[in-house]
Amino acid sequence: VLARLRLAIRRRIAVKLALTLVGFVAVILLVAALYLARSLDALAEDAAEMRLLTAGRLLHDEARELLARGADAGALTAFVGRAARADELRVTLIAVDGRVLADSEVPPAALAGVESHAGRPEVVAALAAGRGRDLRLSATVKAPLLYVALPVLDEGRPLGVLRLALPVATVTASHEEIRRVLLAGGILALAVALGIALFVARRIARPAVVMQEVARAMADGNFRVRAPVRSPDEIGALGRSLNALAERLRTRLEDLQHEQAKGAALLDGMVEGVIAVDGHDHVVLMNERARAMFDLGAAPGDREPILEVIRNADLHRVLRTSRAAGEGIVSRGELSLAGPVERVLQVNAVPLRLGPDEVGVVMVVHDVTELRRLERVRTEFVANVSHELRTPLTAVHGYLETLLGGALEEPEHARRFLEIVFRHTERLGRLLSDLTDLSNIELGKVTLRPAPVRLGEIVDSVFAINRPRADAGSVALSADIAPGAAVVHADLDRLVQILINLVDNAIKYTAPGGQVAVTARRDEDRVEIAVRDTGVGIPPADLPRITERFYRVDRARSRELGGTGLGLAIVKHLVIAHGGTLAIDSAPGQGTTVRFTLAAGDPGAVP
Ligand SMILES: Nc1ncnc2c1ncn2[C@@H]1O[C@H](COP(=O)(O)OP(=O)(O)O)[C@@H](O)[C@H]1O
Ligand SMILES: [Mg+2]
């Protein structure tokens, strides 16, 4: 309990202060009381001495007369007895040699047994200096007595010593009252002092307590708290400093958070994925892009091992290589992710110094899937072009060789061979013109001159061009253009090119007896044109790639039919150049529908 109390006191500044103050007051009171008591005692003694001296002087002459005439013991005893009674004192008459001649407290018969008083301090002083005083415990009456002694002189010659004594108690009795009053006053003073001290201490300690709460709130991260300070003293200054500190910390923290948010936003806004790991291969940073690239749903937890977050052996190889390489050296690697979406990622890794002996790695990841795909498409395209060119060229070369080798002289063969050569050169021409078209469109060299054109007229002219082939293949052609779709806003020549290609395909890939229909309908401010056939259709596996250059379902058949494999690629580019979209629906054996959209035109503006 005591220890707890001590702890409670030591923990409370107000209690400490109050106790200190009260302690001071108590010490001062004690010192004052002691001093007062001592003064009172001295005062009482002095007063008693004066009384005894006065009484002694009054008795002096009678004592001298008695001693001078050598009065007997009886007379002397009567004298001291009378004197003692009159003044309520003890009176003793002592001979110069110290013998007690008479004592008011000792019966005459016992006087012989009383020891010599020659050595008593007051007696010695009286004989030497004319008066003596001593305060001591009386051996005879067993109480503290104040003794005053006077020499009994007869013309300067000492006859004896007259001693008077008074119990101190009779003097100090009146002091009891004063003491009680003093004690009560002291206690009251202490109580008042305690009250005042507590009040003052609380006043002083309260702001300290409040500030302590403020400081604790700040430690908990709340920098919006403020200490209520008004006083201009040190505590007020402390409070103001605390407030200033809180404000500074708050702004710093805000700046920091702002910076951090900026950094995070910057990182997340990057096209590149960024991953940083510490010396133990734990993720310290991973931006949104990186998470998307590796198909990580949620953000990885803080300091999760990269090995567990991304399970890719190539990535870890790059990481190891980078850590082994010196600072500032970029290690590169390429990863292919099988994943839900196939991806090719290029990783550039640089060691990252995080501490005196901690080297992390920062990796910047680029998604090069599209780049690699384009590279592949280009090489394939070059290979395709040379292949497509070589076939007719080889044929031309072969037939010409045969002709030159003698067949020229055989008219029946010569004509046929030349016709074949002619067909192949025609094909070469078509191929080159398609390639030129395509590259011009891709390079943006083709400038469209869109104008309102009548769709019906164009479809008619396209049908006219394709009629011979349709008739030859017994394919029926039909057109159905909705009233609202009569006019489109397009480049006339290019629209013809698109439709020739689509109608040509539809006829080519439709068996005899089939139908090819061109329809158009208005959809808000656009017109959707569909070329539908009842032909062989396109297998679903080929559908996504059907608009790629040279992509054909059946290469040999397409070539046989005079195709180049570039028609749909050209169509797609032209539609896109017009700001439209192209969609192909097909079911093998049932037919194909190719739809594309164009901007609707103003019928009134057609020339
Ligand atoms: N209407 C269609 N019906 C079936 N298959 C088609 C149709 N249109 C295009 N295709 C397929 O798409 C391929 C590519 O067409 P295209 O680029 O016009 O080349 P080409 O007509 O020279 O063969 C064709 O070889 C054919 O396999
Ligand atoms: Mg074609």
Side-chain angles (χ1 to χ4, degrees), residues 12 18 53 63-64 111 153 162 181 218 230 284 296 332 344 349 388 414 443 445 476 546 553 561 569:
R12 296 285 300 274
L53 270 177
R64 183 187 58 194
L111 277 178
L153 297 172
L162 179 66
V181 171
M218 275 164 68
R230 271 158 304 219
V284 287
L296 306 177
R332 286 202 174 78
V344 185
E388 294 295 331
L443 288 173
K445 278 194 194 163
I546 207 75
V553 175
L561 295 168

Side-chain angles (χ1 to χ4, degrees), residues 501-502 504-506 508-509 533 536-538 546 551-554 558 562-569 592 594:
N501 264 299
L502 294 180
D504 173 58
N505 279 352
K508 267 198 305 193
Y509 299 104
D533 64 53
V536 294
I538 303 164
I546 207 75
Y551 193 91
R552 285 165 285 191
V553 175
D554 183 342
S558 156
T564 58
L566 294 173
L568 281 182
T592 307
V594 182

Side-chain angles (χ1 to χ4, degrees), residues 466-475 507 512:
N466 282 290
R467 185 88 55 200
R469 291 191 66 171
D471 289 348
S474 309
V475 174
I507 295 169

Side-chain angles (χ1 to χ4, degrees), residues 66 71-85 91 93 101-109 111:
L66 283 172
D72 61 354
L76 291 177
T77 302
F79 165 67
V80 294
R82 196 165 9 91
R85 261 194 311 283
V91 181
L93 206 54
L101 300 174
D103 192 311
S104 58
E105 310 276 316
V106 185
L111 277 178

